[in-house]
Amino acid sequence: MAQVRCPYCHEYIDRAEFPAHEAAHRKARPDGQQTDYATLPDEDQEQGDLAGVPQVYVHRKCGVATGMPEEIIRSYLKNPYMYMADATFCCGCRKHVPFRDCEWTETGEDLQSYTDKLRAAKPEMKPKGCLGAIAFIGAGLSGVIAAAFC
Ligand SMILES: [Zn+2]
Ligand SMILES: [Zn+2]
């Protein structure tokens, strides 16, 4: 039977069972975050030093800071098209908010401009047509980013 690699737990799942499997990962927790967020498998994540990479952002509407988990940072540095919803969790609002409304505390840059630059630097990673859509199953549909540190 055809299998897909789950972008949340990285197990191989029968394609027919994947929608239910994915729904369990995406179930909302009491704090408003998803149960799990899509990442790249460890071996595919960006390796090396994260010095100079911003990790804390402030939602401009509420002023609350949220920390970005390392496995998420290492995933989008490798593949900036991983989180196509362009939204991330705000600890203040307890919901996912647009990248454009958040800025890095380290640089003052909004997350949308930051992400657009990362994408422009890696056009070869851009998902194409049906194959891209399948590769980004899950990630493309939800594609929001987690915030582990409130
Ligand atoms: Zn899974
Ligand atoms: Zn907020």
Side-chain angles (χ1 to χ4, degrees), residues 2-125:
Q3 293 193 314
V4 294
R5 191 168 191 190
C6 175
Y8 298 85
C9 63
H10 310 299
E11 301 291 331
Y12 289 89
I13 309 295
D14 288 340
R15 185 175 290 282
E17 291 170 16
F18 185 73
H21 177 92
E22 183 189 27
H25 286 303
R26 290 176 57 185
K27 195 165 176 290
R29 294 196 302 222
D31 70 357
Q33 295 198 55
Q34 289 177 195
T35 301
D36 294 300
Y37 288 84
T39 56
L40 291 175
D42 284 354
E43 67 272 21
D44 292 342
Q45 290 179 16
E46 184 77 16
Q47 310 294 322
D49 196 352
L50 290 183
V53 177
Q55 305 191 22
V56 179
Y57 54 89
V58 167
H59 183 209
R60 287 168 174 164
K61 292 201 170 131
C62 71
V64 171
T66 300
M68 189 83 82
E70 185 174 329
E71 67 272 19
I72 299 274
I73 295 172
R74 291 185 183 281
S75 294
Y76 73 61
L77 285 177
K78 193 61 171 281
N79 180 358
Y81 298 93
M82 181 102 189
Y83 303 104
M84 292 302 276
D86 292 343
T88 188
F89 190 79
C90 171
C91 290
C93 300
R94 292 178 155 243
K95 62 178 189 178
H96 297 94
V97 299
F99 277 175
R100 199 165 292 290
D101 294 344
C102 300
E103 67 181 40
W104 294 113
T105 58
E106 292 93 336
T107 62
E109 185 175 31
D110 74 89
L111 271 59
Q112 189 68 60
S113 302
Y114 172 81
T115 304
D116 288 348
K117 265 195 264 175
L118 292 177
R119 287 175 186 161
K122 290 196 172 183
E124 72 282 5
M125 305 284 289

